[in-house]
Amino acid sequence: MKTIVVISDTHGNMRKLETLNGIFSEADYIIHLGDTSGDGSKIRAEFPDKTVLINGNCDLVKLGEDETVLEIEGVKIFATHGHLYSAKTTLKRLADRAKELNCKIALYGHTHCAREDEFDGVTLINPGNMSRYSQNSYCYMVINGGKAVSKIVTLPN
């Protein structure tokens, strides 16, 4: 069994991110889906062996890849920020790319809206955002025996 914390669009809000340090330390993986404003490097410095960083459209300094595929406990996961797939207007391109890569799950950010959808056999998950100016949320995922269960967790303001 593996646990994953998925965050996105933190935009430099280290104060809120620090409230997740206990969850980060217990998780097997931390996936940051972009727009880190550099805070991704601080997460990676503290948790170097389990942090995956994805570049977002606001990331002037590229800390990671534009997209990646992870295989965890037999589940293939596609991770990207979302802007390269027009995630604000459609999820089809994102789902198509995940299917092309044989992934059952696609993780994306960019829209700042937490949601989980099924599209053409792909589970699409947006953890929301951790910025200063809106409701904050993240995704907590457990993968075991080839199955994934996810929960969007909303944080108090």
Side-chain angles (χ1 to χ4, degrees):
M1 178 178 86
K2 299 292 182 191
T3 59
I4 306 163
V5 176
V6 185
I7 57 176
S8 189
D9 297 277
T10 52
H11 294 283
N13 190 3
M14 284 305 298
R15 192 169 137 239
K16 187 60 88 168
L17 277 175
E18 288 168 0
T19 68
L20 299 181
N21 275 348
I23 294 165
F24 287 163
S25 65
E26 293 176 1
D28 294 300
Y29 295 88
I30 303 162
I31 302 173
H32 193 307
L33 298 172
D35 285 357
T36 71
S37 298
D39 45 22
S41 63
K42 293 175 186 170
I43 297 168
R44 185 167 47 201
E46 191 163 348
F47 306 102
D49 298 330
K50 59 183 175 181
T51 301
V52 176
L53 299 177
I54 302 296
N55 299 323
N57 61 301
C58 293
D59 291 324
L60 301 177
V61 176
K62 304 303 182 194
L63 299 173
E65 302 296 322
D66 290 337
E67 58 185 48
T68 194
V69 173
L70 303 162
E71 186 163 349
I72 301 171
E73 295 276 311
V75 176
K76 285 184 77 175
I77 301 169
F78 171 58
T80 189
H81 183 62
H83 65 295
L84 299 174
Y85 296 92
S86 306
K88 287 186 177 181
T89 57
T90 181
L91 296 179
K92 181 181 181 344
R93 291 181 59 209
L94 186 62
D96 287 348
R97 179 67 173 148
K99 283 186 79 160
E100 177 184 323
L101 297 168
N102 295 312
C103 295
K104 294 183 178 226
I105 297 172
L107 303 175
Y108 70 102
H110 188 53
T111 69
H112 292 212
C113 298
R115 60 187 288 177
E116 183 172 333
D117 300 280
E118 292 288 327
F119 194 99
D120 200 20
V122 177
T123 301
L124 304 162
I125 301 171
N126 186 322
N129 76 93
M130 299 286 287
S131 69
R132 291 179 182 88
Y133 307 108
S134 60
Q135 183 65 57
N136 294 163
S137 60
Y138 66 94
C139 176
Y140 188 83
M141 185 181 298
V142 176
I143 300 179
N144 190 22
K147 295 183 182 180
V149 177
S150 61
K151 170 80 175 155
I152 302 292
V153 180
T154 302
L155 298 172
N157 286 336

